[in-house]
């Protein structure tokens, strides 16, 4: 006669589908908790922000993420994010790394993935890309979709949370070599949907803004955001991640507090 504990163990093994041979290490089973695949990425972000352990947040992409030249010395959106995270949210031990490189496309991210992303062991990887892809004839929308999907899968393989951005709109008539950018934006949305990735839809936000002259106020040239444009990208990211607070300076609240 077999004891109850043996029967319970056998029942558990059959139910779990583990089989007769155990692997060297078994992941503990907690039926009351969802598995990692069941946790939406926004919930993972929320958990990262709640933990006391420090995390690495990595931004990569092209010149827009790089923040090259067109900010006129003001902060780029990854730098604004760092201010929100490390000062306003008091996560002072978190690290924000920016590996964006001007002129890059998806193929550059893939070929340089280990240096640009893997080595840092990030918890979160934010990617804005596409403004250069659309100017490369060899990177069709189909190739772009495959490249973007491969990047997302490689990020997930690191155990990191991916975040995708659509780029900001550009002045098409002044950048004819990038006239197909509107064809690449839906690809980013499609990959986001297919891979259940957080999407920061800058393109939609900028197009939907009617109370300001976006081209004049938010762009510094036909392609690149200026200081105000980077603020808008950062604030949309904050809203998407549910960390926007209108009273805080990075979100538009007052910076000035001195008495002279």
């Amino acid at each position: 006669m077999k004891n109850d504990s043996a029967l319970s163990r056998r029942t558990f093994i059959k139910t779990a589908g583990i089989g007769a041979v155990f692997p060297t290490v078994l992941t503990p089973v907690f039926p009351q908790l969802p598995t990692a695949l069941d946790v939406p990425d926004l919930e993972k972000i929320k958990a990262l922000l709640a933990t006391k352990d420090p995390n690495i947040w990595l931004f990569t992409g092209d010149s827009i993420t790089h923040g090259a030249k067109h900010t006129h010395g003001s902060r780029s959106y990854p730098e604004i994010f760092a201010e929100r995270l490390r000062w306003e949210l008091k996560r002072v031990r978190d690290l924000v790394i920016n590996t964006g490189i001007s002129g890059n496309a998806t193929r550059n991210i893939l070929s340089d993935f280990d240096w640009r992303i893997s080595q840092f062991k990030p918890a979160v990887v934010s990617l804005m890309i596409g403004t250069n892809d659309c100017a490369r004839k060899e990177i069709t929308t189909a190739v772009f979709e495959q490249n973007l999907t491969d990047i997302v899968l490689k990020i997930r393989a690191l155990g990191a949370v991916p975040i995708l951005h659509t780029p900001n709109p550009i002045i098409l008539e002044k950048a004819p070599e990038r006239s197909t950018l509107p064809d690449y934006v839906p690809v980013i949305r499609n990959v986001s949907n297919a891979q259940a990735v957080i999407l920061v839809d800058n393109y939609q936000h900028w197009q939907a803004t009617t109370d300001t002259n976006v081209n004049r106020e938010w762009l510094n040239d036909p392609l690149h955001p200026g200081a105000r444009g980077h603020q808008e990208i950062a604030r949309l990211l904050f809203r998407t991640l549910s960390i926007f607070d209108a009273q805080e300076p990075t979100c538009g609240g007052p910076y000035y507090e001195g008495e002279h």
Side-chain angles (χ1 to χ4, degrees), residues 117-140:
I117 299 172
S118 298
Q119 67 159 322
F120 298 106
K121 298 179 175 60
V124 179
V125 178
S126 169
L127 171 65
M128 183 192 295
I129 204 77
T131 305
N132 293 319
D133 293 79
C134 70
R136 313 280 169 83
K137 291 183 179 180
E138 70 277 13
I139 306 181
T140 63

Side-chain angles (χ1 to χ4, degrees), residues 6 45 88 104 157 177 183 209 229 251:
I45 296 287
E88 293 175 354
N104 272 197
E177 75 285 357
D183 299 330
T209 299
C251 303

Side-chain angles (χ1 to χ4, degrees), residues 21-40:
V21 179
F22 286 91
T24 304
V25 178
L26 286 177
T27 301
V29 177
F30 301 102
Q32 74 275 19
L33 297 176
T35 65
L37 293 177
D38 294 329
V39 179

Side-chain angles (χ1 to χ4, degrees), residues 2 10-11 33 37 42 47 58 75 78 91 180 231:
K2 298 179 175 61
R10 177 174 295 178
T11 301
L33 297 176
L37 293 177
L42 281 172
L58 189 142
R75 285 172 168 166
R91 296 194 58 83
T180 59
Q231 290 175 345

Side-chain angles (χ1 to χ4, degrees), residues 36-37 41 44 110 113-114 117-119 121-125 148-162 195 197:
L37 293 177
D41 284 349
K44 295 178 185 177
L110 280 170
F113 192 87
D114 288 345
I117 299 172
S118 298
Q119 67 159 322
K121 298 179 175 60
V124 179
V125 178
L148 202 57
T149 300
D150 289 347
I151 293 170
V152 167
L153 293 177
K154 288 172 76 69
I155 291 169
R156 288 209 186 277
L158 297 175
V161 177
Q195 301 298 324
V197 175

